[in-house]
Amino acid sequence: MLQFNNDPTLPKPSFPGSHMVMDDHYVFISGLTVADLSNGDAVRGDIQEETRLIMRALQRMLVQEEGSLADVIRVDIHLTDLGDINSVDAIYAEFFEPGRYPARTCTESAHLCGGGSIEITMMAKRATHD
């Protein structure tokens, strides 16, 4: 059965969608930018701090669903400047066990909602309960 949840610590989505959609096997998390986070304005324009703040929020969202970043199987990253990829990777890699990185796509998008430099979307395996 599908569940459609909004993270109570984030502002309600300004778009017709949910922060998270879960089925029996997976958690799908909508793309997050610093504009989605209450403290995001403070780091806007610093790609490493934007990445760190978004990854921490995604990590917290997974914990709310009894998961962790170790359960992530796919990540999509959208950057306003693909030239920032090395700076992003330096922070991104800190959140995963070396050699156990999720499948990933990274694209350049000229404009992201809210004016941030990065948007990250995740798909993770759900914890199983017997």
Side-chain angles (χ1 to χ4, degrees), residues 4-51:
F4 301 85
N5 291 351
N6 287 319
D7 184 317
T9 68
L10 297 177
K12 217 171 197 180
S14 60
F15 57 90
S18 302
H19 291 137
M20 295 180 282
V21 175
M22 285 88 56
D23 67 11
D24 292 338
H25 304 284
Y26 300 100
V27 177
F28 301 89
I29 303 178
S30 291
L32 284 183
T33 69
V34 292
D36 299 313
L37 308 173
S38 61
N39 53 349
D41 284 335
V43 301
R44 192 182 315 264
D46 180 333
I47 190 66
Q48 288 192 317
E49 286 305 310
E50 285 189 37
T51 303

Side-chain angles (χ1 to χ4, degrees), residues 11-129:
K12 217 171 197 180
S14 60
F15 57 90
S18 302
H19 291 137
M20 295 180 282
V21 175
M22 285 88 56
D23 67 11
D24 292 338
H25 304 284
Y26 300 100
V27 177
F28 301 89
I29 303 178
S30 291
L32 284 183
T33 69
V34 292
D36 299 313
L37 308 173
S38 61
N39 53 349
D41 284 335
V43 301
R44 192 182 315 264
D46 180 333
I47 190 66
Q48 288 192 317
E49 286 305 310
E50 285 189 37
T51 303
R52 185 174 285 114
L53 191 62
I54 293 167
M55 289 297 294
R56 285 181 182 150
L58 292 165
Q59 182 177 38
R60 183 186 42 71
M61 292 169 80
L62 289 169
V63 168
Q64 287 176 8
E65 296 304 320
E66 301 179 22
S68 73
L69 288 171
D71 301 315
V72 175
I73 57 176
R74 178 168 173 79
V75 174
D76 292 322
I77 298 175
H78 303 279
L79 297 170
T80 56
D81 181 355
L82 202 51
D84 287 333
I85 190 65
N86 291 332
S87 295
V88 168
D89 283 346
I91 301 305
Y92 176 86
E94 294 174 4
F95 287 87
F96 297 100
E97 182 182 327
R100 295 188 49 89
Y101 301 110
R104 189 176 95 175
T105 298
C106 187
T107 61
E108 184 173 285
S109 301
H111 303 285
L112 298 176
C113 288
S117 302
I118 182 169
E119 180 172 6
I120 304 175
T121 303
M122 285 187 172
M123 177 183 170
K125 188 110 171 84
R126 276 192 93 174
T128 55
H129 300 285

